[in-house]
Amino acid sequence: MKKILITGAAGFLGSHLCDRFINEGYYVIGMDNLITGDLKNIEHLFKLKNFEFYNHDVSKFVHVSGSLDYILHFASPASPIDYLKIPIQTLKVGAMGTHNLLGLAKAKNARILIASTSEIYGDPLVHPQTEEYYGNVNTIGPRGVYDEAKRFMESITMAYNRFHGLETRIVRIFNTYGPRMRLNDGRVIPAFIGQALRGEDLTIFGDGSQTRSFCYVDDQVEGIYRLLLSDYDLPVNIGNPYEITIKDFAEEIVKLTGTDQKIIYKPLPKDDPMQRQPNISKAKELLGWEPKIMREEGMRKTYKYFKSLPEEELYKKEHKDFKEYNRS
Ligand code: UDP
């Protein structure tokens, strides 16, 4: 049985990846320190013989006994609101966490795939974004802690690949959504759905003319799965190229939820990218991958998930001691 370590296992993407690799017959070790992850996302796996969970912060030395075939490094805060709350931890998990996991991969002779992001393109000046574009990033802005950690992550991964001959894969993930996103993580999809369910106005930041391209989680997981098993070691964009303005998207949410929510406008956060759309030619050509689930279907499934949550979840406030995490 192949053995895989998945970091960020209790998070949105990590938990779906655990499910996928369990279904493919792997032995899965999930690792998470639960700053932003939630054990609820993986509690259904705890009874399985081929799953185990380590509560561990990967920015500290990572020990796994026995052999390992693959590592997926998905531990990281991933929403702009989280970077503001835990900026130092965001840098550490991308930098030191990645270094530790590359060291582990080298020691175990395992193949490692690291989760990079469309954020490495910053507020892009080239549209749509191809893997060859170097980006337009503000090192010291609020998103810098994430963007620079992920850029460093790509560099150190390529250094291990070239210097140590390690088998590495780099996925650049564009906006992805689906069940198990955190309702209060500040990202636009849970934000709008939460507002609709609470009967509040939908808050558009800026004038809503900025665009995003939303990929349903099952498509994203399929792309990552294929990339891991491919023999291509340079970065690959995985995302849905179907682009929409945030204003049109808010109107879709009003229709989807059947509510008559008003739309209100708030200031645009600093360095909020104006346009984002992946060029996925590489993924198509190398992996035979393209997204299959269109926004209407994906959003229906996502809305159903959020509606099924206990009502108190809708009003829950975060109460973790983020100061402690930043200090450690
Ligand atoms: N956004 C918004 N209202 C909200 C939350 C987000 O208009 O309540 C906007 C945000 O400014 C950005 C877009 O939606 O332009 C996507 O934001 P998200 O945080 O989901 O992801 P990212 O900016 O990292 O792509």
Side-chain angles (χ1 to χ4, degrees):
M1 193 184 267
K2 296 267 188 213
K3 204 162 153 193
I4 186 164
L5 168 67
I6 302 180
T7 75
F12 164 51
L13 279 179
S15 67
H16 284 281
L17 287 162
C18 288
D19 286 342
R20 175 66 188 258
F21 282 89
I22 289 282
N23 288 338
E24 298 287 344
Y26 284 65
Y27 187 97
V28 175
I29 301 174
M31 192 174 278
D32 205 301
N33 67 348
L34 306 176
I35 305 191
T36 56
D38 190 331
L39 282 182
K40 275 207 290 297
N41 292 333
I42 45 170
E43 65 189 358
H44 57 286
L45 302 176
F46 277 73
K47 59 180 184 296
L48 303 178
K49 277 209 222 47
N50 56 335
F51 181 78
E52 64 182 306
F53 178 72
Y54 293 174
N55 185 334
H56 182 68
D57 175 357
V58 297
S59 58
K60 310 217 163 76
F61 185 84
V62 182
H63 173 74
V64 172
S65 56
S67 65
L68 262 185
D69 299 289
Y70 299 107
I71 298 174
L72 297 182
H73 181 25
F74 277 70
S76 178
S79 89
I81 279 198
D82 288 341
Y83 322 146
L84 294 173
K85 284 192 246 171
I86 34 179
I88 298 167
Q89 196 65 31
T90 303
L91 281 157
K92 283 171 71 178
V93 73
M96 285 121 102
T98 304
H99 187 205
N100 288 334
L101 291 160
L102 288 164
L104 181 67
K106 183 166 146 273
K108 303 281 184 187
N109 202 15
R111 178 181 296 179
I112 180 167
L113 179 147
I114 58 126
S116 186
T117 166
S118 54
E119 281 286 326
I120 66 107
Y121 301 120
D123 190 0
L125 305 174
V126 162
H127 202 73
Q129 294 80 55
T130 62
E131 288 85 350
E132 283 69 38
Y133 178 51
Y134 295 154
N136 174 39
V137 183
N138 178 0
T139 55
I140 55 168
R143 289 175 183 247
V145 295
Y146 185 62
D147 303 2
E148 294 305 322
K150 294 292 188 180
R151 290 171 73 95
F152 173 83
M153 183 187 221
E154 291 197 4
S155 305
I156 192 170
T157 298
M158 287 315 297
Y160 267 71
N161 175 302
R162 291 179 180 133
F163 187 77
H164 290 303
L166 191 69
E167 283 194 32
T168 59
R169 305 287 179 267
I170 300 175
V171 58
R172 289 189 183 148
I173 298 172
F174 283 66
N175 294 64
T176 298
Y177 71 99
R180 302 186 194 154
M181 289 184 96
R182 236 165 68 233
L183 194 53
N184 51 10
D185 79 355
R187 277 183 285 184
V188 69
I189 292 182
F192 282 173
I193 294 181
Q195 287 161 346
L197 289 172
R198 287 188 298 268
E200 296 167 3
D201 299 335
L202 303 193
T203 53
I204 289 186
F205 299 161
D207 64 4
S209 63
Q210 71 271 38
T211 71
R212 291 295 184 274
S213 313
F214 297 109
C215 182
Y216 188 65
V217 63
D218 292 356
D219 282 331
Q220 182 62 244
V221 165
E222 181 64 31
I224 293 165
Y225 181 77
R226 288 188 190 205
L227 178 60
L228 177 71
L229 300 183
S230 77
D231 54 12
Y232 189 72
D233 58 10
L234 293 176
V236 179
N237 289 338
I238 299 285
N240 190 322
Y242 200 84
E243 188 185 12
I244 185 171
T245 67
I246 294 300
K247 185 167 187 299
D248 289 346
F249 185 59
E251 280 158 14
E252 277 188 10
I253 297 269
V254 173
K255 266 199 218 118
L256 168 76
T257 57
T259 51
D260 53 3
Q261 259 33 71
K262 254 193 6 225
I263 291 174
I264 58 166
Y265 293 85
K266 297 220 161 165
L268 191 67
K270 185 163 170 43
D271 296 335
D272 196 289
M274 259 322 282
Q275 266 192 317
R276 185 182 282 157
Q277 183 192 28
N279 176 317
I280 58 164
S281 311
K282 257 202 180 109
K284 273 189 187 158
E285 190 187 311
L286 295 165
L287 313 174
W289 176 89
E290 63 183 319
K292 297 263 180 305
I293 299 161
M294 291 300 109
R295 207 169 47 244
E296 201 190 344
E297 183 189 349
M299 284 303 296
R300 232 186 301 118
K301 290 182 176 171
T302 307
Y303 180 50
K304 196 168 151 213
Y305 165 79
F306 281 117
K307 240 183 15 190
S308 74
L309 294 177
E311 208 188 323
E312 64 261 26
E313 289 280 322
L314 278 178
Y315 297 94
K316 212 164 85 184
K317 297 259 181 291
E318 303 262 14
H319 53 264
K320 290 190 178 167
D321 187 357
F322 291 114
K323 270 207 186 88
E324 217 29 67
Y325 285 116
N326 283 317
R327 206 177 294 134
S328 67

